[in-house]
Amino acid sequence: MEFHPVIMAAGHGSRMTDLTANTPKALLPLGNLPMIWYPIKMLQKAGFETAIVIVQESTKDNIESTLRNLEVKMKLEFVSVPDNADWGTADSLRHIHERIKPHSDLLVLSCDLLTNVQLHCLADIHRTYDAAVTMLLTSQSVNMTEQSVPGHKTKRTAEKEFIGMDSQQKKVVFMASEADLDESLSIRKSLLKRHPCLTIHTKLSDAHLYLIKRWVIDYLIDNKNISTIKGELIPHLVKKQFSKPPATHNESDLPNPNASVMSVDTRQG
């Protein structure tokens, strides 16, 4: 396999604390099966035989024994991160970088991913465009800001995500969070000139499934200020894909500054 799967299962489930107080988020039941079983089943169906599962130290034994009882056929390597470490998903990738198979790209997915999207279709797009990152986006069928969640009822400000896509190239060319903007959204003229078919989406959600080039992980090793995939790494790469090659080499520079960030919208079937 040219991709090494990594399942992110170290989340605290902070938005549903009533459910995760005594049960790890990865083991919350969906249809009488733990949540993490579904992405594992998807990987098995796609032909993968091994995967890395990133868990918290305190939940490692529980998650490992639960999956063993379910007779999972894949060989799973459990890697734990400290419970008290304020690590993001990009930090976790740095933590396991030596365990990634040589010359393999990464397939990173969340333990709460439930989808019928075919992984080989994503892989084909990733190869076709030679993308630095290919991400799965899904349209919101309901207004998520109006949905109640388990846990303490506190007033939360909804944060809208702005995702700019070139509708012809399927390339993500702009990303911004409402929290990072002033009263207006500004788009550079140079961006509009380069991508005249730009569409700004506000009802697309990141499904937390990424195909990532191996050199991006090496780039993370040299840029420890990047802590998360969704909030920091992806927006950083989106901006960097328009950078001019540096006059002198610096190990913090992108190996290929023109590498693209591709997206797949599940609405396209």
Side-chain angles (χ1 to χ4, degrees), residues 127-139:
R127 298 187 196 100
T128 298
Y129 292 94
D130 193 27
V133 177
T134 300
M135 59 191 297
L136 178 66
L137 300 174
T138 182
S139 55

Side-chain angles (χ1 to χ4, degrees), residues 18 29 36 44 74 91 168 184:
D18 283 6
I36 193 174
Q44 288 184 169
M74 290 184 67
D91 296 316
Q168 292 186 339
S184 60

Side-chain angles (χ1 to χ4, degrees), residues 181-205:
L181 301 175
D182 295 325
E183 295 182 356
S184 60
L185 176 66
S186 299
I187 305 293
R188 299 191 314 273
K189 289 183 178 180
S190 58
L191 180 62
L192 293 174
K193 183 176 181 180
R194 182 177 298 192
H195 299 280
C197 298
L198 174 65
T199 302
I200 301 294
H201 298 269
T202 59
K203 294 184 179 181
L204 289 178
S205 296

Side-chain angles (χ1 to χ4, degrees), residues 117-126 134 136 209 211 264:
V117 172
Q118 300 296 316
L119 290 178
H120 72 269
C121 294
L122 299 180
D124 288 345
I125 292 175
H126 188 69
T134 300
L136 178 66
L209 191 160
L211 301 178
V264 179

